[in-house]
Amino acid sequence: MTTKIFIPRDSSAIGLGANLVADAFTRVVQSNNADVQIVRNGSRGLIWMEPLVEVETETGRQGYANVTSNDVDSLFKTMFAGASDHHEKSVGPVEEIPYLKNQERLCFARNGITDPTSIEDYLGNDGYRGLKVALSLDAKSIVEIVTQSGLRGRGGAAFPTGIKWNTVLNCPSDQKYIVCNADEGDSGTFSDRMTIEGDPFALIEGMTIAALAVGATKGYVYLRSEYPHAEEVFTEALLIARAHGYLGENVCGSKRSFDIELRRAAGAYICGEETSMLESLEGKRGLVRPKPPLPAISGLFGQPTVVNNVVTLSSIPFILANGASAYKDYGMGRSMGTLPIQLAGNIKRGGLVEKAFGVTLNELLYDFGGGSASGKPIRTLQIGGPLGAYIPESQFDLKLDYETFSAAGAMIGHGGIVVFDQTVNMASMARFAMEFCAIESCGKCTPCRLSLIHI
Amino acid sequence: MVSTNQEAVISAALEKHSSTEGALLPILHEIQDALGYIPSDSIDVIGKGINRSRAEVHGVVSFYHHFRTHKPGRHIIQVCRSEACQAVGAVEVIEKLKRTLGIDFHESTLDGQITLEPIYCLGHCACGPALMVNGEPRAKMTPDHVDNLVNELRTKNHDD
Ligand SMILES: Cc1cc2nc3c(=O)[nH]c(=O)nc-3n(C[C@H](O)[C@H](O)[C@H](O)COP(=O)(O)O)c2cc1C
Ligand code: SF4
Ligand code: FES
């Protein structure tokens, strides 16, 4: 029987050597004539273990962490040639690793498990169950389920998704759009990148459901130019989805038409702001538009437009497949469901942690993150991106909840946490923030509000 | 010779996006992907091709950091300057890069082979300092890795 070996194609894993490991494995498999299939999966999000190589066994997938090409010969022997079972890089059954086991993975349920561009893998792991439900409902009922789920925008502003969709649904127009914001500009955030590289069909499915809900026929994904690997995976996934009838003139035989176009951004931070992004999609400079009108009413090319973040949209398939309350049962207060949190910067176990709202910063930093990478005490963290806040250690007991954070003068934003140890020079971080805002201002207001925030 | 190629690239880009809505960014990307930059004498042609003024096209090219107006070196190093990478030593890596290459950001080495550009987050914030060499990521960079990387690129140049 063919044995599968999994080596992530996630770009962070590649940055840590995954392609070299895959090449070495291909060579050793060929020279041994072994019955092995090498699968390039997405990343589990345990970036601190990447490249994390997994082998399928009778007792589940066994992992080997931080593998280099030099390990491959001995690893291959451990896996197949009956060498002693233990290898120094072994981390045991992957699903039992506490970092992974203690998460609540709804949005990231498939990441690292599947081959991102295999539609068979997607279908075999609950994929397109949400769309099937959506196709059996009228538009109003889909919007109602999303509203009931309590899902709020994960791009930063935390606006209720169902309410936004309802506005677009109620705007009569022949042409409506779904625009996915994949500009992910904040330092410390990579959940959009990991979704697109690791589970692109989830985003495609989420956008298709959004289209059915509001009556849109065309979608755009505005993807930052700093993500060439995500672009490659998503381009491939779009072709496959079209070839299998999940996009196009007649989505799943429903006579409904929806297609998605991938658009590459061009390195302007302000284009993450939704109206600036719409200007950019129209081929202009990314100057922020005055609101009102809301994009929901007059958005792309003046038409009613849903603008949602990648993670917002890829949370939708779970909600439709499992029902509003299955999602809403997670979380606290008015922050319902889960958030894919990204642990970044000076942290020992950096990576993606999807947890229900209500988890504390302390739990994230120490139980998951294992403290700083340098071993020195953590002094502060930045959350909510450059427009967010630095939070001192005295506030690390804050629970992740939109309202708790705003009461403390902070914001969760896109859920990226950048950790700094005691050697951080706050004056130079402030200088950097000023410089960044000066570079990234769209130049419409004088003086730019962005930099005023930091003065 | 170069300009014929340039003309061909530009007309192919215009042709390809003749029915794309809001086509300017996709056209500029096609051109930069092929030529490495947006030549200043292409602005007019692009404008005519999509019925926009020269000033408008120029305004777009200059607004977006991604678009270059000068030909880059054969190898492009894009190094992350953002906070998560700074928290684990990006400043040292960047200084080492500048010193080793003898250039500042947006410059190319004297032999015209290597260009250094700043970038604001590559999404490798859990394994910084990060950079991209000709589109390929390198994570957990250290000043020592910089020596290896630059040697690697210089050897490549010798080889061909
Ligand atoms: C300066 C600025 C930058 C932003 N950058 C992003 C971004 O990179 N990605 C994103 O999804 N939203 C970003 N937003 C928020 C968007 O304007 C918008 O609220 C969001 O895309 C809506 O989607 P959601 O409701 O699903 O979050 C930014 C907002 C501002 C003001
Ligand atoms: S000038 Fe600055 S504050 Fe004003 S819209 Fe542009 S980026 Fe925002
Ligand atoms: S901050 Fe450097 S890759 Fe994100």
Side-chain angles (χ1 to χ4, degrees), chain A residues 360-397:
Chain A
T360 66
L361 289 171
N362 267 321
E363 289 171 272
L364 291 165
L365 293 175
Y366 297 103
D367 297 352
F368 284 96
S372 72
S374 60
K376 299 191 174 104
I378 296 177
R379 157 106 176 262
T380 183
L381 60 83
Q382 187 190 42
I383 180 165
L387 309 180
Y390 281 92
I391 294 182
E393 208 205 337
S394 57
Q395 291 191 322
F396 287 177
D397 55 354

Side-chain angles (χ1 to χ4, degrees), chain A residues 293-317:
Chain A
L294 291 173
I297 293 164
S298 175
L300 188 62
F301 304 113
Q303 303 301 324
T305 302
V306 167
V307 179
N308 274 135
N309 171 258
V310 174
V311 172
T312 313
L313 288 162
S314 36
S315 300
I316 297 289

Side-chain angles (χ1 to χ4, degrees), chain A residues 155-170:
Chain A
F159 188 81
T161 307
I163 295 179
K164 187 184 281 184
W165 288 18
N166 199 45
T167 307
V168 179
L169 171 63
N170 292 329

